[in-house]
Amino acid sequence: MKRLAILGSTGSIGQSTLSIVEQFPDRYSVAALAAGRNLDEAFAQVRRWRPRIVSMATEELAGRLTSRLREAGVSGIEVVYGTEGTVACSTLPEADFVVSAIVGVAGLEATHAAILAGKPVGLANKECMVAAGEILTAAARERNVPILPIDSEHNAVHQCMRVGRHQEVKFIWLTASGGPFRDTPLEQFATITPEQALKHPTWVMGRRITVDSATMLNKGLEIIEACRLFDVPPSKVRVTVHPQSTVHSLVEYIDGSILAQISVTDMRLPILYALAYPERPESNLTFDLAALRHLDFEEPDFERFPCLRLAYEAAEKGGAHCIALNAADEVAVEAFLEHRIPFTGIPDTIEGVLASTPEAHPATIAEVLAVDRQARQLAGTFIA
Amino acid sequence: MKRLAILGSTGSIGQSTLSIVEQFPDRYSVAALAAGRNLDEAFAQVRRWRPRIVSMATEELAGRLTSRLREAGVSGIEVVYGTEGTVACSTLPEADFVVSAIVGVAGLEATHAAILAGKPVGLANKECMVAAGEILTAAARERNVPILPIDSEHNAVHQCMRVGRHQEVKFIWLTASGGPFRDTPLEQFATITPEQALKHPTWVMGRRITVDSATMLNKGLEIIEACRLFDVPPSKVRVTVHPQSTVHSLVEYIDGSILAQISVTDMRLPILYALAYPERPESNLTFDLAALRHLDFEEPDFERFPCLRLAYEAAEKGGAHCIALNAADEVAVEAFLEHRIPFTGIPDTIEGVLASTPEAHPATIAEVLAVDRQARQLAGTFIA
């Protein structure tokens, strides 16, 4: 029985994780929930799963949750809040496995604390690896703690990496859907609206990640994530545009063999893989190979998607540049969604911020967060 | 340094194996060559590779090779012949690895002897596994001897099987090119000529295997081979028609993940994999993933290709039925190539022979060969 601490339990990955727990009651139980701001959902989850501890975003929300639990006759559950609360969840002694699924750098400290506490981590939070990958992977190596990727691409890579040794990997090929503007003429990019950018052809996702998918900055973050998770230089990570999103990624070996992972596009699959690794429980997430007809692959267009180039540049420099790439993009996407900058303003903002970011390699989470704040300020200034 | 015994050295797999040895002189050397009937090629190979021992098909050929070697001033090489000679090669004490690439059941005794002698085997000979898989795999298990498949499909499966545990495999999916008659109307099958059948869309191969590919009996033999090599029931082996022959096979796991292996269609790749396993040396057999455009997959048509059904039936019964399937097919293909029976006569012959074959599980190679002879006689009678 693995007892889980789920950071970001009310989000999409958190809910999918709980549906896996529901499906495999003999394998998994819930020890801690870091729930954030959604009080109703947090209340429902606590009532259903009875964790030892639950964390809310603020003291006020924690107070309201405590009252509701008391009214409902639910007792014996510790309610905490804020970053300290999330860390209390991720380091809970009786938790065996931490699912890190808080969006953005907010989950960073708790994820780091979990690794320092020697807990295996299922990582759904891309920004953690991009902003603090050097710190997190160093800590994980030192304590021999596995970090299992919970996103379709890196999870696929993790699987394909098992068919050879690390030094035998020639390229990691991340597949990309290519987003909605794969075939849009370049001259129309400046006039792309938020409404157009929010339509993703394959996955239903949050607003920022959907726009990131349209600019392919999302794939850029994944390039950096792959470098950190799998300890390879950016030159070994390539992108192939695969509109069907059926092949989730590939690994090419030096002898000429390429391994690919195929499955349904359902996040429960990488979650289950991470939770159960190295086992594979039987699931109903069946891909109908007999129904597989065509798979297409294309080279990505670096002119159309300058964010890809910017990500490679940041990946090469590492440290502060990766933090700045992520922070600047988040600010720029928000500005784009609020019609303050055009679609092409997103890469322009990132490029501007990166140009003003000195090379540095933060050694602590506090330093990472400081660089993150600076980059956000820089991006704000650049946009204004 | 691995010292190889190559059974079938003058054939296509044998020659490809030697080209690998040529490319990796620090990894591999040649200890024994079983060369068969091609005297010129055998002479050239012995002169180039200087094995400890070489075997020819007959005493007469062995005598002629001895003379030619003497004339050329090549000394210190033992020349042997026949089945005993092949066995002497496959059990040579200083050989570390045996490549079993003699076509047909001729390589059976030597392959069995190699396993009994505790030597790892790279198996390119499909008929060995089909006719005597139960005996060979039992011997290999008992002595903990690895059998590494040297054919693109099973080699791909071997790779994909590394990403999970045996009991977690749901299906092995063998890819099939579908042969030249994939889209031929069913009513034209009776009038297919040998010339038409000998044109294979993707691979250049021997005559029997090309016809077997056209009837899909080849894939049928591979189904049986997969059952034996990977210790799974026939119900776990499926076929998908993939005309590009780029994905060499796939393994579907119970959690929903499917792993696929992709590479150039070059036999040197599975040979290198088998020789080097579990390492992967760097090779120039590069697949250009960027050039990958489309992959197609279709369900096989069991009405058009009755040999597939016959193979599944034989696989279920095992033992004598698998031997008979292979033997009857070899006789029938020969008759077809000599215009004695129509294309549709091949499955008819096999079906007739299988119907007259009693269920049995030969426990020795001698018994296997006896069943093989009986089936050939039966097939001859059926055709006449």
Side-chain angles (χ1 to χ4, degrees):
Chain A
M1 176 71 80
K2 267 186 195 164
R3 293 161 300 177
L4 311 182
I6 305 174
L7 316 183
S9 65
T10 56
S12 151
I13 297 291
Q15 295 195 18
S16 293
T17 304
L18 288 169
S19 85
I20 295 284
V21 178
E22 182 110 47
Q23 224 183 316
F24 297 95
D26 300 339
R27 285 180 170 263
Y28 309 112
S29 65
V30 178
L33 294 173
R37 302 190 172 277
N38 187 337
L39 185 65
D40 288 341
E41 183 64 26
F43 173 69
Q45 288 183 350
V46 171
R47 205 153 63 159
R48 166 74 182 81
W49 295 106
R50 304 287 168 125
R52 255 274 291 114
I53 185 170
V54 57
S55 180
M56 298 301 292
T58 65
E59 184 171 9
E60 190 252 330
L61 284 164
R64 286 169 61 192
L65 181 62
T66 305
S67 308
R68 284 187 63 176
L69 289 172
R70 195 183 307 121
E71 283 159 30
V74 178
S75 62
I77 289 162
E78 189 181 351
V79 182
V80 293
Y81 61 89
T83 301
E84 267 178 52
T86 319
V87 170
C89 288
S90 78
T91 57
L92 187 74
E94 52 261 60
D96 304 308
F97 190 97
V98 175
V99 174
S100 171
I102 295 177
V103 176
V105 292
L108 198 44
E109 284 180 59
T111 306
H112 189 226
I115 294 169
L116 292 179
K119 299 195 189 295
V121 171
L123 189 69
N125 175 322
K126 198 170 297 179
E127 293 87 353
C128 273
M129 248 327 141
V130 172
E134 292 160 10
I135 297 169
L136 297 180
T137 54
R141 254 195 305 276
E142 207 174 286
R143 280 157 189 79
N144 201 21
V145 165
I147 301 179
L148 292 149
I150 299 188
D151 68 273
S152 62
E153 291 83 356
H154 299 87
N155 192 267
V157 172
H158 190 273
Q159 298 190 40
C160 296
M161 295 280 279
R162 292 165 69 176
V163 190
R165 295 178 306 174
H166 187 266
Q167 70 267 34
E168 291 160 0
V169 171
K170 187 172 179 182
F171 296 119
I172 287 172
W173 289 89
L174 300 175
T175 53
S177 73
F181 309 126
R182 193 161 39 95
D183 302 316
T184 304
L186 200 54
E187 58 274 19
Q188 292 177 19
F189 267 57
T191 58
I192 287 170
T193 65
E195 293 67 38
Q196 290 171 315
L198 288 172
K199 274 191 208 157
H200 188 273
T202 324
W203 297 89
V204 177
M205 304 174 296
R207 285 160 64 90
R208 180 189 166 195
I209 195 173
T210 306
V211 175
D212 281 352
S213 177
T215 62
M216 289 194 78
L217 190 274
N218 182 47
K219 208 49 57 179
L221 297 177
E222 289 179 6
I223 291 166
I224 298 170
E225 197 186 353
C227 293
R228 268 80 188 267
L229 276 171
F230 304 113
D231 194 22
V232 295
S235 58
K236 280 197 174 183
V237 183
R238 297 194 168 180
V239 173
T240 178
V241 174
H242 169 50
Q244 290 90 358
S245 299
T246 298
V247 174
H248 293 298
S249 277
L250 313 92
V251 171
E252 179 172 350
Y253 287 95
I254 54 173
D255 67 347
S257 266
I258 299 174
L259 274 290
Q261 190 261 352
I262 295 168
S263 64
V264 289
T265 50
D266 187 315
M267 288 313 295
R268 285 175 296 169
L269 209 135
I271 294 170
L272 181 59
Y273 178 87
L275 293 184
Y277 180 79
E279 295 178 23
R280 290 181 181 273
E282 185 158 11
S283 87
N284 55 357
L285 302 166
T286 308
F287 182 87
D288 185 4
L289 196 71
L292 186 62
R293 285 289 168 267
H294 306 282
L295 296 176
D296 298 303
F297 298 89
E298 299 165 23
E299 282 184 77
D301 182 343
F302 279 76
E303 207 185 338
R304 184 171 271 132
F305 300 109
C307 285
L308 271 184
R309 173 181 54 80
L310 294 169
Y312 272 112
E313 289 170 11
E316 280 295 347
K317 291 190 173 149
H321 277 255
C322 294
I323 303 168
L325 178 86
N326 174 57
D329 175 67
E330 194 169 320
V331 174
V333 168
E334 212 171 284
F336 166 67
L337 289 175
E338 292 166 357
H339 297 267
R340 289 188 282 124
I341 59 171
F343 189 72
T344 48
I346 300 173
D348 290 348
T349 304
I350 297 170
E351 186 144 32
V353 171
L354 287 180
S356 307
T357 300
E359 272 193 57
H361 291 270
T364 65
I365 299 295
E367 283 173 44
V368 167
L369 295 175
V371 174
D372 182 78
R373 277 191 301 274
Q374 278 161 14
R376 280 168 207 269
Q377 275 170 5
L378 261 172
T381 314
F382 191 91
I383 288 166
Chain B
M1 175 71 80
K2 266 186 196 164
R3 293 162 299 177
L4 311 182
I6 306 173
L7 316 183
S9 66
T10 56
S12 150
I13 297 291
Q15 294 195 17
S16 293
T17 304
L18 288 169
S19 85
I20 295 283
V21 178
E22 182 109 46
Q23 226 182 314
F24 297 94
D26 299 339
R27 285 178 170 265
Y28 309 112
S29 66
V30 178
L33 295 173
R37 302 189 173 277
N38 186 338
L39 185 65
D40 288 341
E41 183 64 25
F43 173 68
Q45 287 183 349
V46 172
R47 204 152 66 158
R48 167 74 182 82
W49 295 106
R50 305 287 170 125
R52 256 274 290 115
I53 185 170
V54 58
S55 180
M56 299 300 293
T58 64
E59 185 171 9
E60 190 251 330
L61 284 163
R64 286 170 61 193
L65 180 62
T66 305
S67 307
R68 284 188 62 176
L69 289 173
R70 195 183 306 121
E71 283 160 31
V74 178
S75 62
I77 289 161
E78 189 181 351
V79 182
V80 292
Y81 61 90
T83 300
E84 267 178 52
T86 319
V87 170
C89 288
S90 79
T91 57
L92 187 74
E94 51 261 61
D96 305 308
F97 190 96
V98 175
V99 175
S100 170
I102 295 176
V103 176
V105 291
L108 198 43
E109 285 180 58
T111 305
H112 188 225
I115 294 169
L116 293 179
K119 299 193 189 295
V121 171
L123 189 69
N125 174 323
K126 197 169 296 179
E127 293 87 354
C128 274
M129 252 320 144
V130 172
E134 291 159 11
I135 297 169
L136 297 180
T137 54
R141 254 194 305 275
E142 206 174 287
R143 279 157 190 79
N144 201 20
V145 166
I147 301 180
L148 291 148
I150 299 187
D151 68 272
S152 61
E153 291 83 356
H154 300 87
N155 193 267
V157 172
H158 190 273
Q159 298 190 41
C160 296
M161 295 278 281
R162 292 165 69 177
V163 191
R165 294 178 305 173
H166 187 266
Q167 70 268 34
E168 291 160 0
V169 171
K170 187 172 179 183
F171 295 119
I172 287 172
W173 289 88
L174 300 175
T175 54
S177 73
F181 309 126
R182 191 161 42 94
D183 301 316
T184 305
L186 200 53
E187 58 274 19
Q188 291 176 21
F189 267 57
T191 58
I192 286 170
T193 65
E195 293 66 38
Q196 291 172 314
L198 287 173
K199 274 193 209 156
H200 188 274
T202 323
W203 297 88
V204 177
M205 306 173 295
R207 286 159 64 90
R208 180 188 166 196
I209 194 172
T210 306
V211 175
D212 281 352
S213 176
T215 61
M216 290 195 78
L217 190 274
N218 182 47
K219 207 50 56 180
L221 297 177
E222 289 179 5
I223 291 166
I224 298 170
E225 196 185 353
C227 293
R228 268 80 188 265
L229 276 171
F230 304 112
D231 195 21
V232 296
S235 59
K236 280 197 175 184
V237 183
R238 296 194 169 182
V239 173
T240 178
V241 175
H242 169 49
Q244 290 90 357
S245 300
T246 297
V247 174
H248 292 298
S249 277
L250 314 94
V251 171
E252 179 171 351
Y253 288 95
I254 54 173
D255 67 347
S257 267
I258 300 174
L259 274 290
Q261 190 261 354
I262 295 169
S263 64
V264 289
T265 51
D266 188 315
M267 288 312 295
R268 285 175 297 170
L269 209 136
I271 294 169
L272 181 59
Y273 178 87
L275 294 184
Y277 181 80
E279 293 178 24
R280 290 181 181 273
E282 185 158 11
S283 87
N284 55 358
L285 302 166
T286 308
F287 183 87
D288 185 5
L289 195 71
L292 186 63
R293 286 288 168 267
H294 306 282
L295 296 176
D296 299 303
F297 298 89
E298 299 165 22
E299 282 184 77
D301 182 343
F302 280 75
E303 206 185 338
R304 184 171 269 131
F305 300 110
C307 285
L308 271 184
R309 172 181 53 80
L310 294 169
Y312 272 113
E313 289 170 13
E316 280 296 347
K317 291 189 173 148
H321 276 255
C322 295
I323 303 168
L325 178 86
N326 174 58
D329 175 67
E330 193 169 322
V331 174
V333 167
E334 211 171 285
F336 166 67
L337 289 174
E338 292 167 357
H339 298 266
R340 288 187 282 125
I341 60 171
F343 189 73
T344 47
I346 300 173
D348 290 348
T349 304
I350 297 170
E351 186 143 32
V353 171
L354 287 180
S356 307
T357 301
E359 270 194 58
H361 291 270
T364 66
I365 299 296
E367 284 173 44
V368 167
L369 295 175
V371 173
D372 181 78
R373 276 191 301 275
Q374 279 161 12
R376 280 168 206 270
Q377 274 169 6
L378 262 173
T381 314
F382 191 91
I383 288 166

